[in-house]
Amino acid sequence: IKFTAEEEIEIDLLIDVGRNLSLVGGGEIEVLSNREITGYNISGGFCGEENRKNVYFYSVINYEADKILIYEDDKIIDRKISSVIDNPLACSARLKLIPDKPLIIKTGMSYTSKENAKNNLLAELPHWDFDQVVNEARNKWNDVLSRITINDKNKTNLTKFYSALYHMFIHPNIINDVNGDYPTMNEHETMNKSDRNRYTIYSLWDTYRTLHPFLTLVYPDIQSDMIKTMLDMYDEQGYLPKWELIGNETYMMVGDPAVPVIVDSYVKGVRDFDINKAYEAILKPVTLDKNEKAPPVRAAYHYILEYGYIPFDQNMEDEWWAWGPVSTSLEYNYADWTISQLAELLNDENNKNIFYKRSLGYKKMFDPVTQLIRPKLKNGDWMEPFDPLETEGSGDWTGSGGPGYVEGNAWNYTWFVPHDVYGLIELFGGEKEFAEKLLESFNNGQFTINNEPDIFYPYLFKYTENYSHYTSELVDQIMNTEFGIDENGLPGNDDCGTISGWFVFSVLGFYPVCPGSDEYVLNEPLFDEIKIQLDQNYYQGNELVIKKREGNKREVILNGESVNLNFIKHSELIKGGELVFIIPDGENK
């Protein structure tokens, strides 16, 4: 951090250690000299949970302070070190600044120790040249973001795209120190792995939908390390992560989202990890006896084995009951389908058939009268009363979801069957009924781009013959109205890059409706020319060039050959070459 004084001035530099975004957790401050302090902040409190963690720091300033005072709960203490829990803690440094010497503060951080925080700083920032730091950061980001280059003159859209791409690299983030130290899962011991990076903040219920499929395509080297980290977590806690935060398993959200992340990467060619261990980890929470309670990573899954779905009248006395049994059932159905795909690749015919059958459990929750997927009881009756527009009541907090649903309602979840869209169309009675009801969800304000379950719905029209044009219309509308370059640039919580990932894929002209399959749904690219650098350590091709141009009829051409207008395989794209979208004259935006 750099501050420049316009005139000679005396200031008190306040460093607050006790607070973070979620709580006043306290921490520790130790004054090492009149230029150096170290300590830690107790962070956590994510979603109201008791997931605490020490974040260690070492800070040094380029001025010699006249004095540094420590404040415990706003009271000065006469010590060089202080630690508190659940109370304010800060220190202030009295400094005399002069205009020709900017104040610079350098801080190193670690999740393992104060010593490592200092060593991280000394290794990564040994000098005081602020401009050099800025240039180094700019060059590193340019190197990362330039795996995709664009030829187009629309500066607004360019800003939107590269901002979204930047957002996708915030989390998961590297947690290990420069020497390889990192905190283990849940036990908070320190281990070391110096041959690769260790990652943290796995918001998997969100990120399995867009972020990880995108990394698999464009940054498979990073995705590989993220999967290896997930397998490390399995070794350390006995299960794959569900929603990991700084070595804490929070069990936030629902489903089993680690499974599609791993399967999608393996299906698409990222295979430099221990697939036998991964398969073991994937199967561990789902190979239960009917009378055996499911572990928290698959909360209430035993009901799937008994009924094919989680009933609304589940036993709420269970320690791990299902938040939103309809939503949770649908997430399990999809995850089980991805297991069946991996089982097929591993020549496990038995599990292929078992989990494919389980993946079709959604059919038991489809009501042909309302044409909605809705809560069902153990006896097979529908839960009553039923309000498909209700968005409260699934939990005791605002936004928990309508009864039976997670952060949504029946409209938000009825089409959440990415693995069997054609089967869902049959339940509706045909593509007309399917598409018109889906279109109604957009027209009545029930589609939400700012939350995950229904973000792929604009692309479902591509599974129909007569309604596929709605995909282009809706995607274009969402990209223009919900994303911008000002303070309203995002439609809501970006959920660790997931919503930005929707935008990025939509820009490229293809979208992963069903991670775990080899297929993308085609639309059309936003820019005239997009070049994606492919990683030849994983893929056959060197570069995929995506172009858009006007013509007499709509057509998609891959390396000189006309292909399906609606779908394309990942295995074809990674061969590289040229993918050209021909847009009829007058339709090019």
Side-chain angles (χ1 to χ4, degrees):
I1 301 175
K2 176 182 177 181
F3 299 93
T4 302
E6 295 182 353
E7 58 185 7
E8 188 171 322
I9 188 174
E10 189 174 82
I11 67 167
D12 286 317
L13 176 65
L14 181 67
I15 299 177
D16 189 339
V17 172
R19 293 174 172 83
N20 62 58
L21 291 176
S22 301
L23 76 164
V24 181
E28 178 183 281
I29 290 176
E30 180 180 3
V31 178
L32 300 176
S33 72
N34 280 2
R35 297 181 63 239
E36 304 165 284
I37 62 168
T38 189
Y40 60 83
N41 168 259
I42 302 174
S43 67
F46 174 67
C47 288
E49 297 295 313
E50 287 296 321
N51 36 58
R52 302 294 187 93
K53 187 65 186 173
N54 290 350
V55 182
Y56 299 94
F57 73 94
Y58 167 81
S59 292
V60 56
I61 56 181
N62 64 334
Y63 273 84
E64 189 85 15
D66 290 343
K67 55 184 176 180
I68 298 179
L69 302 174
I70 297 178
Y71 295 82
E72 286 183 5
D73 200 10
D74 298 330
K75 296 179 181 177
I76 298 176
I77 64 166
D78 187 21
R79 295 197 306 273
K80 294 293 185 181
I81 186 169
S82 173
S83 60
V84 301
I85 297 177
D86 294 332
N87 277 301
L89 180 66
C91 72
S92 67
R94 178 64 58 86
L95 304 169
K96 294 179 180 178
L97 304 187
I98 55 177
D100 59 353
K101 183 182 179 181
L103 169 63
I104 298 177
I105 307 165
K106 299 195 298 185
T107 298
M109 296 179 63
S110 167
Y111 288 97
T112 61
S113 69
K114 293 186 289 186
E115 179 182 7
N116 276 5
K118 181 176 181 178
N119 290 336
N120 289 342
L121 177 63
L122 294 177
E124 296 177 343
L125 196 57
H127 58 79
W128 290 92
D129 189 331
F130 189 83
D131 292 335
Q132 181 180 337
V133 173
V134 171
N135 289 330
E136 288 173 351
R138 180 184 291 110
N139 292 337
K140 285 182 179 180
W141 275 112
N142 282 337
D143 182 58
V144 171
L145 301 180
S146 64
R147 286 203 195 179
I148 299 181
T149 56
I150 293 170
N151 179 20
D152 201 283
K153 296 179 180 179
N154 189 315
K155 292 185 178 180
T156 295
N157 285 337
L158 285 169
T159 301
K160 288 160 70 171
F161 174 79
Y162 282 109
S163 295
L165 188 56
Y166 164 79
H167 295 155
M168 297 177 75
F169 280 93
I170 297 176
H171 297 302
N173 59 276
I174 297 169
I175 193 174
N176 56 274
D177 297 319
V178 292
N179 65 357
D181 285 353
Y182 65 89
T184 61
M185 193 73 170
N186 293 334
E187 297 300 323
H188 303 310
E189 298 174 354
T190 297
M191 293 184 67
N192 185 280
K193 193 177 295 294
S194 57
D195 61 329
R196 59 175 164 84
N197 286 320
R198 166 86 173 206
Y199 285 85
T200 186
I201 306 184
Y202 281 84
S203 179
L204 293 170
W205 183 81
D206 307 294
T207 55
Y208 82 75
R209 305 164 200 264
T210 60
L211 175 66
H212 289 289
F214 177 77
L215 294 177
T216 294
L217 173 64
V218 187
Y219 301 85
D221 51 334
I222 296 175
Q223 176 67 3
S224 174
D225 277 356
M226 289 184 179
I227 292 176
K228 291 171 183 174
T229 293
M230 293 166 68
L231 295 181
D232 290 342
M233 293 174 180
Y234 167 67
D235 287 336
E236 294 160 14
Q237 70 167 357
Y239 291 100
L240 290 168
K242 187 165 187 168
W243 210 127
E244 177 273 347
L245 179 68
I246 319 293
N248 292 277
E249 180 52 78
T250 69
Y251 295 115
M252 287 292 106
M253 305 312 295
V254 297
D256 193 357
V259 175
V261 169
I262 293 173
V263 174
D264 185 61
S265 292
Y266 192 78
V267 164
K268 291 175 177 173
V270 179
R271 298 187 174 184
D272 56 341
F273 59 90
D274 189 341
I275 189 57
N276 294 319
K277 179 188 290 187
Y279 196 43
E280 171 190 293
I282 285 169
L283 291 178
K284 182 177 180 180
V286 294
T287 50
L288 308 169
D289 294 325
K290 286 190 176 181
N291 297 323
E292 184 182 0
K293 288 294 194 319
V297 72
R298 277 268 186 162
Y301 186 72
H302 49 281
Y303 288 114
I304 298 287
L305 304 186
E306 185 173 357
Y307 300 99
Y309 60 93
I310 302 173
F312 186 78
D313 51 343
Q314 63 181 309
N315 183 4
M316 299 295 288
E317 298 300 317
D318 286 345
E319 181 180 5
W320 294 102
W321 50 272
W323 168 24
V326 173
S327 303
T328 303
S329 296
L330 291 172
E331 292 278 2
Y332 288 158
N333 291 164
Y334 162 64
D336 285 348
W337 179 84
T338 66
I339 295 176
S340 75
Q341 302 306 293
L342 181 58
E344 181 176 19
L345 289 174
L346 299 179
N347 299 312
D348 184 352
E349 192 72 15
N350 184 51
N351 276 324
K352 169 193 168 183
N353 294 330
I354 287 173
F355 288 99
Y356 180 76
K357 182 179 179 181
R358 290 183 192 177
S359 77
L360 302 181
Y362 77 91
K363 295 183 178 182
K364 296 185 177 183
M365 299 182 291
F366 183 84
D367 176 11
V369 177
T370 62
Q371 291 190 314
L372 294 168
I373 290 180
R374 56 181 291 194
K376 208 170 194 178
L377 305 178
K378 291 177 181 177
N379 64 9
D381 292 342
W382 299 114
M383 182 272 289
E384 296 287 357
F386 172 60
D387 179 359
L389 298 175
E390 181 59 64
T391 58
E392 303 292 338
S394 187
D396 58 0
W397 63 95
T398 301
S400 62
Y405 303 93
V406 171
E407 295 184 355
N409 59 27
W411 286 93
N412 303 137
Y413 276 95
T414 288
W415 293 269
F416 187 78
V417 189
H419 58 288
D420 193 31
V421 178
Y422 292 115
L424 183 62
I425 289 174
E426 287 184 14
L427 288 183
F428 270 94
E431 75 165 44
K432 180 178 185 293
E433 293 80 4
F434 169 88
E436 289 184 353
K437 186 87 170 184
L438 178 58
L439 188 60
E440 186 181 347
S441 74
F442 289 90
N443 293 336
N444 67 11
Q446 295 308 303
F447 169 79
T448 56
I449 188 59
N450 61 359
N451 205 14
E452 277 63 29
D454 53 1
I455 58 175
F456 65 85
Y457 287 7
Y459 289 91
L460 292 181
F461 293 100
K462 288 286 188 172
Y463 292 80
T464 72
E465 183 177 350
N466 298 311
Y467 297 84
S468 62
H469 61 280
Y470 283 114
T471 292
S472 177
E473 294 176 14
L474 290 167
V475 169
D476 184 56
Q477 176 188 355
I478 294 166
M479 293 175 73
N480 284 324
T481 62
E482 299 291 341
F483 295 85
I485 60 173
D486 58 11
E487 66 275 10
N488 300 311
L490 285 167
N493 190 334
D494 200 41
D495 287 323
C496 295
T498 302
I499 305 303
S500 286
W502 182 95
F503 184 86
V504 166
F505 268 117
S506 297
V507 165
L508 299 181
F510 51 89
Y511 189 88
V513 164
C514 186
S517 75
D518 187 45
E519 192 172 70
Y520 299 104
V521 175
L522 287 172
N523 183 32
E524 61 184 69
L526 180 63
F527 297 111
D528 294 335
E529 183 179 276
I530 304 167
K531 293 182 180 180
I532 301 176
Q533 178 186 337
L534 298 174
D535 189 334
Q536 292 189 289
N537 291 317
Y538 293 86
Y539 301 136
Q540 178 182 344
N542 177 53
E543 184 179 65
L544 175 65
V545 181
I546 303 168
K547 293 183 177 181
K548 179 175 65 172
R549 67 169 184 252
E550 291 186 346
N552 294 326
K553 66 174 185 177
R554 186 172 297 277
E555 192 175 7
V556 180
I557 301 171
L558 178 61
N559 293 329
E561 298 290 333
S562 183
V563 298
N564 190 295
L565 287 174
N566 294 337
F567 304 99
I568 198 164
K569 291 187 177 297
H570 174 89
S571 53
E572 292 298 319
L573 294 182
I574 59 174
K575 293 176 183 177
E578 191 171 81
L579 179 66
V580 180
F581 293 77
I582 308 297
I583 313 300
D585 295 344
E587 291 187 22
N588 199 356
K589 294 175 279 294

